[in-house]
Amino acid sequence: MKPEPNIFFSTLQSLANWAAGSSLWPFSFGISCCAIQMMHAAASRIDLDRFGCLFRPSPRHSDLMIVAGSVTKKMSSQIITLYDQMLEPKYVIAMGICAISGGLFKESESIVNGVGKLIPVDIEIPGCPPSPKDLAEAILGLQRRIKNPIHLPATK
Ligand code: SF4
């Protein structure tokens, strides 16, 4: 029998992936100047809400951490604790060269040379600072990877 044109065949896993990718909720915290660009991305011009990306005030509500700026050694244990409190599956975006590698402050005695030394990072956005549009593109890329996990790299 020929299926009706409005019948879709899928799997529960595909549906779950679609739902998870369409509802990324970032944890609302900023640690340095890149956070201003992150706030801009959430405001009316880029408006991350329209992609289902709603900033939440608690790590227990969130499945995405955007590390926007340089990470000090003093903040390290707090970042690890906040990451541990987030929902599974969870994702991390390192925004800006400071979050990726320490950037301008690399080798400074107070700065961690990249948040990847503390927690696993899924996407890195280069630049100083990256633009709000760069962040939106990174989030859309992450959404595509979650919705189509076959395209995920074998290792993070
Ligand atoms: S990358 Fe540039 S804008 Fe972002 S936290 Fe570092 S110095 Fe600030």
Side-chain angles (χ1 to χ4, degrees):
M1 184 180 134
K2 195 173 170 188
E4 293 292 324
N6 58 350
I7 294 178
F8 296 92
F9 292 95
S10 186
T11 61
L12 276 178
Q13 188 59 56
S14 304
L15 189 61
N17 291 343
W18 173 82
S22 303
S23 58
L24 272 179
W25 288 1
F27 176 37
S28 179
F29 86 122
I31 49 179
S32 203
C33 23
C34 273
I36 302 298
Q37 305 295 330
M38 181 177 70
M39 292 175 214
H40 186 172
S44 54
R45 185 159 187 176
I46 304 285
D47 188 14
L48 288 175
D49 285 15
R50 64 196 161 122
F51 305 121
C53 193
L54 309 174
F55 282 83
R56 302 297 304 169
S58 163
R60 294 182 186 84
H61 301 173
S62 310
D63 55 3
L64 173 62
M65 177 183 276
I66 302 170
V67 181
S70 47
V71 179
T72 60
K73 289 180 179 164
K74 203 172 175 183
M75 276 289 290
S76 299
S77 61
Q78 285 90 337
I79 287 184
I80 293 169
T81 301
L82 292 168
Y83 177 78
D84 288 342
Q85 291 175 340
M86 287 167 58
L87 297 170
E88 291 279 1
K90 52 194 165 191
Y91 308 93
V92 175
I93 293 178
M95 181 177 181
I97 53 169
C98 290
I100 294 171
S101 67
L104 311 180
F105 313 106
K106 192 173 173 71
E107 309 302 345
S108 153
E109 63 179 21
S110 59
I111 295 292
V112 178
N113 291 333
V115 71
K117 296 196 181 308
L118 306 176
I119 55 177
V121 172
D122 296 277
I123 293 192
E124 294 175 339
I125 313 175
C128 174
S131 72
K133 195 175 158 214
D134 293 335
L135 177 59
E137 284 177 1
I139 289 173
L140 290 175
L142 181 58
Q143 288 184 340
R144 277 194 297 275
R145 283 169 52 178
I146 296 169
K147 291 176 185 175
N148 303 292
I150 198 165
H151 299 303
L152 280 173
T155 55
K156 285 186 183 175

